[in-house]
């Protein structure tokens, strides 16, 4: 069992199929999302999870649990994709599980919209490097600077 | 049955024999020493260890924080704040995990271009000039 940080291979394929739309609110339409951005979530997983580039969809298997954490994870706030030089980037607002007691080794960002073909499709896998835990405190995921070299999702 | 008298102080009591100790002074009861071992917190669990002094010296051993937070030992006032990479953990039990982004490289593949052979070209050529003077130099042996 291992968690390997990666952009999911299925996500790359689905980008070419117009399955995902990271636009915040309306606009940036594709044929499948009818012009509105999709909803995305981030879910936490324990070290027992097996996640990586080959992961295709969200599953509750080995998802973290604890006070203040609900299965499925937290909704993310999209930041409309933009470009930095020749790199396309997108970002999310930091997310926090307040007053929680939870331990996680990694996370998955996935499409939580109900649109057929998009629902629960995996985007990327994050590896925290070690178990991280909160104890009756805030568990915050802090996303990197949204630029061409650090943004959470970059296509160069 | 004769009465039995147990003395708690003075000579020939339960704390001292006849002639033990100095005149006019009692020997105190045996004292108890209380101690507390090491405290290990494997993950931030917000442990608060309160130590009260009990007849003598009581101490908290060296707290070992393996990967945790929120450890407060009131006896010595230790507050641990751990930092690992982009992760900051606060003494209040909270944690902030800084994640790194993931990039993908998009490439456009090569394409082949071809067209039909142009059969409408005018053919032109020049005859070989046979009037040239041949010159050469022997190679040194």
């Amino acid at each position: 069992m291992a968690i390997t940080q990666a952009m999911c291979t299925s996500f790359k394929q689905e980008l070419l199929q117009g399955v995902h739309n990271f636009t915040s609110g309306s606009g940036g339409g594709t044929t499948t999302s009818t012009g509105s951005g999709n909803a995305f979530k981030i879910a936490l997983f324990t070290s027992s999870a097996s996640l990586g580039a080959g992961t295709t969809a969200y599953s509750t298997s080995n998802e973290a649990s604890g006070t203040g954490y609900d299965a499925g994870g937290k909704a993310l706030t999209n930041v409309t994709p933009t470009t930095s030089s020749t790199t396309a980037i997108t970002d999310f607002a930091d997310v926090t599980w307040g007053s929680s007691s939870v331990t996680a080794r990694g996370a998955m960002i996935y499409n939580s919209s109900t649109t057929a073909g998009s629902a629960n499709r995996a985007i990327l896998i994050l590896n925290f490097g070690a178990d991280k835990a909160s104890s009756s405190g805030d568990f915050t995921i802090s996303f990197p600077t949204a630029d061409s070299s650090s943004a959470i999702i970059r296509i160069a | 049955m004769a009465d039995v008298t147990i003395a708690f102080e003075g000579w020939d009591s339960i704390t001292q024999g006849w002639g033990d100790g100095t005149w006019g002074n009692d020997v105190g009861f045996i004292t108890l020493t209380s101690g507390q071992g090491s405290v290990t917190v494997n993950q931030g669990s917000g442990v608060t260890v309160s130590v009260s002094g009990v007849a003598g010296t009581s101490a908290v051993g060296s707290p070992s924080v393996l990967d945790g937070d929120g450890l407060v030992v009131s006896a010595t006032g230790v507050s641990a704040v751990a930092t690992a990479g982009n992760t900051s953990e606060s003494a209040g039990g909270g944690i902030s995990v800084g994640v790194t982004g993931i990039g993908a490289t998009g490439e456009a593949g090569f394409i082949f271009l071809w067209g039909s052979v142009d059969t409408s070209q005018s053919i032109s050529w020049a005859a070989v000039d046979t009037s040239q003077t041949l010159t050469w130099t022997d190679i040194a042996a």
Side-chain angles (χ1 to χ4, degrees), chain B residues 91-107:
Chain B
I95 186 169
S96 177
V97 180
V99 297
T100 54
I102 301 175
T105 301
E107 296 181 358

Side-chain angles (χ1 to χ4, degrees), chain A residues 5 131 133 135 138 140 142 152 154 156, chain B residues 44 67 93 95 97 100 102 104 106:
Chain A
Q5 179 146 325
D131 279 352
S135 177
D138 293 346
T140 299
S142 178
I152 186 66
R154 309 183 303 275
Chain B
D67 185 14
I95 186 169
V97 180
T100 54
I102 301 175

